[in-house]
Amino acid sequence: MSTGSLCPPRAPGPSGPAPSASLGVVVLDIVYLLAVIAVFAVIAFVAKGVEKL
């Protein structure tokens, strides 16, 4: 059984340099960084609350 007729031929890949990071990737990096900072802030508040006990 040949799959040559089922799959179209693939287009050649880009020959130029790799594209730069898009805006979506930069926004995702910022969101990730803010989430990490928020996790550390929550840990600090919990530690401060435990210290007062």
Side-chain angles (χ1 to χ4, degrees):
M1 180 173 164
S2 174
T3 59
S5 62
L6 296 177
C7 299
R10 296 181 63 190
S15 59
S20 61
S22 64
L23 181 62
V25 175
V26 173
V27 170
L28 189 62
D29 286 343
I30 292 172
V31 169
Y32 178 74
L33 183 64
L34 291 176
V36 170
I37 292 171
V39 167
F40 278 108
V42 168
I43 291 172
F45 283 128
V46 169
K48 192 169 275 200
V50 169
E51 182 181 330
K52 288 184 179 182
L53 290 178

